[in-house]
RNA sequence: CGGGGCGUGGCUCAGCCUGGUAGAGCGCCUGGUUCGGGACCAGGAGGCCGGAGGUUCGAAUCCUCUCGCCCCGACCA
């Protein structure tokens, strides 16, 4: 394509509203323009990149036998009511009424639609397995759209759904997807980690997320560079850092100590001249089992944080919240800051890091007093479970290898759904014995914009974006230094023509601009390779530049084609 | 939903406190000189100052309401 005819509205100045790199650069480089909060228009460059990402996805999905559908984005309320998500999705769902006042919504994801299709048509185990997918716009009324394309209200998602006769079948479909996803992200040229994820409320048995490490992300993951362990922080397990001072081994009884004005773990530790690891942290929580709400204690070592996900899993509750100060006063007769487990009648969950500890310090349930010599299991009884969040400095459970915490953005998620939708919506087939059985499902998503954003977040510098060649809007740009010079112009057009003939996605910067402007623009939008046709053309020499790392070299014009092909593996 | 910030030409922003007929740089158009990392000179176009109401002789500026956008927190299959 000829740049002079294209709409690539690059900005010299940094747009005021953009904070994260991908947002700022996609705006500046003329990929996108905002329409509203969390709503964007994708211009030429974004559309080309997104199309290339989708092409990769389609090829790899087809390679595992997946079939592409195009589904209704506008959904009747009924199917969502059947699955229970009409209410379950809450405010995040865009809802509307038609002229007859019938309830409709815009699809946020397509488990319901896919299941509705399947239950009408799949009748026999002979038709299984099936993998169906779509690449379509999803709508979510996010409470807070942010960070450019990272969290938006309308976005392109590839999602596929597998239907199998039994769990081993699902394992196969799941594994196919895992491998396909690795190929997809590898081919898109981005670095990622695959982490164990919480399958939580969805009730599935396994789930993994594909994450890109970036400060723009919203998730944390725990990785071990030595063993390859990787898990979402919500789910990660670890060996905690060793305690800072050994426990006394004597058989001592709890004894009160006056701790005036010492409320927080920090303050109590400082007052008693003990490390935080010798203290027990006591949380009072109200656990919601749906039918009833129960106050409980959650105990942690002084330096640890409660993991919300693990605590919910341990208690088997729907959700929980911190108790209000009034509730605490009522139950304990003391204020937060002096609470502890001794003598408490409530159910107590204690983190496994407290198991086997002796003579620790806990609140006395009496304002301004703590107890010394509190031994878990002796001075109070508790259910021990891993309910703490991994922190940096922890080590891998079996190997003792160091763990690292990374901030990441989720680009893909694979999930063993199980029977949730086939049960709720009545999807069953006849098995070999002629018996009706529920179909077991999996669901697998990729955020297309997030792949683009991930690439920009990972590969950018002061000059702009450095796109991976496979998903760059163009592979090569040919830049004649002066379009007014007929010999330069002709050589550039010839080279451009040859590249196109060779199947290379080339762009010719035929604009009547100064060279500096063209170089800056090419760097900004992130075209991986540039061929500059300039003065040395007289000697048959042109300059080739790799955007990533700014590697410049000169070579005879006659060698350019093979250089480009080699760089692009074509 | 709680907290903070911002709406002035296409972009970045000044002007607002202390009311008096709207500015700069970049971009855009015309002509000329230029041409290897966002050129220079000259001329020019372009803004009901987010919207509504109020105060005032007079409002971008003060007051009230409202809409929109960004950021932090809460939330996030």
């Amino acid at each position: 394509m000829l740049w002079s005819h294209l709409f690539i509205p690059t900005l010299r100045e940094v747009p005021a509203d953009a904070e994260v790199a991908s947002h700022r650069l996609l705006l500046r480089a003329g990929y996108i323009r905002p329409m509203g909060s969390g709503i964007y228009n994708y211009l030429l460059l974004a559309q080309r990149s997104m199309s290339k990402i989708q092409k990769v996805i389609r090829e790899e999905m087809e390679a595992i036998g997946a079939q592409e559908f195009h589904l209704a984005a506008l959904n009747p309320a009924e199917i969502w009511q059947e699955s229970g998500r009409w209410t379950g999705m809450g405010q995040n769902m865009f809802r509307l009424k038609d002229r007859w006042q019938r309830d409709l919504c815009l699809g946020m994801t397509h488990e319901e639609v896919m299941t509705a299709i399947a239950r009408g048509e799949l009748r026999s185990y002979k038709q299984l397995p099936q993998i169906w997918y779509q690449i379509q716009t999803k709508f979510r009324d996010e409470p807070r759209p942010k960070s450019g394309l990272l969290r938006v209200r309308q976005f392109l998602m590839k999602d596929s759904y597998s239907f199998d006769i039994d769990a081993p079948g699902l394992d196969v479909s799941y594994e196919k997807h895992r491998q396909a996803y690795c190929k997809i992200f590898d081919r898109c040229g981005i670095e990622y980690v695959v982490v164990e994820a919480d399958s939580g409320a969805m009730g599935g048995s396994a789930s993994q997320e594909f994450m890109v490490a970036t400060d723009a992300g919203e998730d944390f993951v725990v990785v071990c560079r030595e063993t390859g362990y990787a898990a979402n922080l919500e789910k990660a397990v670890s060996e905690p850092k060793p305690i800072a001072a050994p426990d006394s081994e004597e058989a001592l009884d709890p004894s009160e100590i006056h701790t005036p004005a010492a409320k927080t773990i920090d303050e109590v530790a400082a007052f008693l001249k003990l490390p935080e690891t010798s203290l027990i942290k006591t949380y009072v929580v109200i656990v919601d089992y749906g039918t009833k709400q129960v106050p409980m204690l959650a105990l942690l070592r002084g330096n640890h944080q409660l993991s919300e996900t693990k605590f919910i899993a341990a208690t088997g509750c729907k959700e929980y919240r911190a108790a209000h100060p009034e509730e605490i006063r009522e139950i304990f007769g003391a204020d937060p800051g002096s609470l502890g487990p001794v003598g408490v009648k409530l159910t107590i969950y204690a983190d496994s890091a407290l198991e086997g500890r002796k003579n620790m310090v806990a609140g006395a349930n009496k304002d301004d007093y703590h107890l010394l010599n509190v031994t878990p299991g002796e001075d109070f009884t508790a259910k021990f479970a891993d309910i703490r969040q991994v922190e940096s400095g922890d080590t891998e459970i079996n190997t003792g290898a160091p763990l690292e915490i990374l901030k990441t953005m989720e680009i893909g998620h694979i999930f063993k759904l199980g029977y949730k939708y086939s049960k709720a919506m009545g999807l069953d087939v006849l098995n070999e014995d002629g018996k009706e059985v529920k179909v077991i499902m999996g669901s697998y998503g990729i955020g297309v914009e997030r792949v683009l954003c991930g690439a920009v977040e990972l590969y950018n510098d002061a000059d702009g974006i450095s796109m991976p060649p496979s998903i760059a809007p163009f592979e090569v740009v040919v830049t004649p230094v002066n379009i007014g010079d007929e010999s330069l112009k002709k050589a550039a057009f010839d080279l451009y023509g040859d590249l196109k003939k060779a199947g290379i996605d080339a762009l010719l910067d035929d604009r009547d601009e100064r060279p500096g402007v063209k170089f800056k623009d090419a760097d900004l939008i992130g075209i991986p390779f540039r061929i500059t046709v300039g003065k040395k053309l007289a000697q048959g020499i042109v300059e080739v530049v790799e955007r990533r790392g700014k590697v410049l070299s000169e070579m005879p014009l006659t060698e350019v084609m093979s250089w480009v092909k080699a760089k692009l593996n074509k």
Side-chain angles (χ1 to χ4, degrees), chain A residues 345-559:
Chain A
K345 296 277 191 293
L346 305 176
T347 302
I348 299 172
Y349 279 87
D351 182 61
S352 48
L354 296 176
E355 201 165 6
R357 296 289 306 278
K358 289 193 158 97
N359 300 315
M360 300 181 73
V361 174
N365 296 325
K366 181 171 160 190
D367 284 345
D368 294 330
Y369 284 88
H370 279 73
L371 292 177
L372 300 174
N373 307 320
V374 174
T375 298
E378 276 176 31
D379 299 317
F380 64 91
T381 50
K383 299 179 183 176
F384 289 98
D386 178 3
I387 55 170
R388 74 180 176 280
Q389 192 165 292
V390 174
E391 55 174 14
S392 67
D394 286 3
T395 52
E396 226 252 25
I397 268 186
N398 297 316
T399 64
L403 294 175
E404 211 175 317
I405 298 181
L406 302 176
K407 198 172 189 189
T408 58
M409 165 179 71
E410 181 183 349
I411 55 173
H413 197 163
I414 57 178
F415 208 97
K416 290 185 186 175
L417 276 179
Y419 298 100
K420 181 181 163 92
Y421 295 93
S422 47
K423 266 188 191 155
M425 300 179 67
L427 167 57
D428 28 47
V429 297
L430 295 182
N431 69 9
E432 285 179 77
D433 306 325
K435 269 176 42 186
E436 202 163 73
V437 295
K438 294 289 173 202
V439 171
I440 189 165
M441 293 173 60
S443 101
Y444 317 89
I446 293 176
V448 180
E449 286 89 345
R450 285 189 171 185
V451 176
L452 175 62
C453 288
V456 178
E457 291 290 338
L458 286 170
Y459 311 115
N460 72 78
D461 57 26
D463 293 312
I465 306 169
S466 170
M467 289 291 279
S470 58
I471 62 171
F474 295 95
E475 292 173 315
V476 182
V477 58
V478 178
T479 307
V481 153
N482 182 354
I483 200 72
D485 180 322
E486 282 303 323
S487 62
L488 295 189
K489 183 176 175 182
K490 179 171 187 312
F493 266 87
D494 288 348
L495 176 58
Y496 167 74
D498 290 345
L499 288 164
K500 295 293 283 185
K501 260 180 246 157
I504 289 160
D505 192 12
L507 174 64
L508 177 64
D509 193 350
D510 61 333
R511 293 176 298 168
D512 183 16
E513 287 285 356
R514 298 168 59 82
V517 172
K518 299 190 190 190
F519 298 154
K520 288 286 187 190
D521 272 344
D523 287 350
L524 178 59
I525 70 179
I527 300 178
F529 303 104
R530 186 179 82 222
I531 300 154
T532 309
V533 182
K535 282 192 200 101
K536 289 197 178 167
L537 179 69
Q539 290 90 58
I541 302 288
V542 296
E543 182 188 70
V544 297
V545 186
E546 277 190 72
R547 175 65 180 83
R548 182 98 35 110
K550 293 286 175 54
V551 187
L552 274 75
S553 51
E554 294 186 334
M555 67 178 60
L557 180 57
T558 51
E559 288 173 20

Side-chain angles (χ1 to χ4, degrees), chain A residues 193 195 211-221 232 406-410:
Chain A
V193 288
V195 305
M211 310 295 257
V212 170
T214 163
D215 281 340
E218 301 176 298
D219 291 296
F220 291 91
V221 303
N232 194 300
L406 302 176
K407 198 172 189 189
T408 58
M409 165 179 71
E410 181 183 349

Side-chain angles (χ1 to χ4, degrees), chain A residues 236-258:
Chain A
V237 294
S238 69
E239 185 64 31
K241 278 182 286 196
I243 52 177
D247 295 334
S248 160
E249 290 297 325
E250 293 174 65
L252 301 167
D253 287 330
S255 62
E256 261 183 23
I257 181 165
H258 188 49

Side-chain angles (χ1 to χ4, degrees), chain A residues 8-168:
Chain A
I8 304 177
T10 57
L11 302 172
R12 292 195 181 195
E13 304 201 57
V14 179
D17 284 342
E19 299 254 320
V20 304
S22 58
H23 187 200
R24 178 166 36 85
L25 288 170
L26 290 172
L27 281 173
R28 268 198 72 201
Y31 278 62
I32 60 171
R33 284 295 180 263
M35 257 274 102
S37 182
I39 308 172
Y40 286 87
N41 292 309
Y42 304 157
L43 311 184
L44 173 79
L45 296 182
Q47 177 60 12
R48 289 183 70 90
S49 273
M50 301 266 293
S51 295
K52 289 184 178 186
I53 295 166
Q54 291 175 63
K55 183 163 182 281
V56 169
I57 291 172
R58 289 196 168 95
E59 287 171 5
E60 295 301 335
M61 291 310 293
E62 275 194 26
I64 62 167
Q67 308 156 62
E68 184 173 8
F69 290 6
H70 184 94
L71 302 178
L74 195 56
N75 292 181
E78 284 76 12
I79 58 171
W80 291 83
Q81 286 160 348
E82 276 187 64
S83 72
R85 295 208 290 183
W86 180 257
T87 47
M89 286 297 193
Q91 293 278 98
N92 266 23
M93 181 183 264
F94 276 108
R95 295 156 205 267
L96 62 160
K97 286 184 187 292
D98 68 13
R99 62 175 68 201
W100 309 110
Q101 302 303 306
R102 284 183 292 232
D103 286 313
L104 299 167
C105 68
L106 299 179
M108 308 173 69
T109 170
H110 281 73
E111 281 84 358
E112 281 80 0
V113 177
M114 286 288 195
T115 308
I117 296 170
R119 70 173 164 189
E121 316 284 344
L122 294 178
R123 297 190 178 88
S124 162
Y125 73 96
K126 291 177 190 169
Q127 293 170 291
L128 299 181
Q130 291 284 327
I131 299 175
W132 300 344
Y133 79 102
Q134 56 151 351
I135 304 178
Q136 280 177 246
T137 302
K138 306 283 153 106
F139 300 89
R140 295 184 190 179
D141 194 359
E142 288 289 341
R144 183 152 104 79
K146 61 175 177 179
S147 307
L149 296 187
L150 290 191
R151 184 160 290 280
V152 287
R153 299 198 290 174
Q154 166 180 342
F155 58 97
L156 199 59
M157 180 165 155
K158 169 265 158 186
D159 50 339
S160 51
Y161 303 89
S162 64
F163 302 90
D164 282 277
I165 190 70
D166 55 18

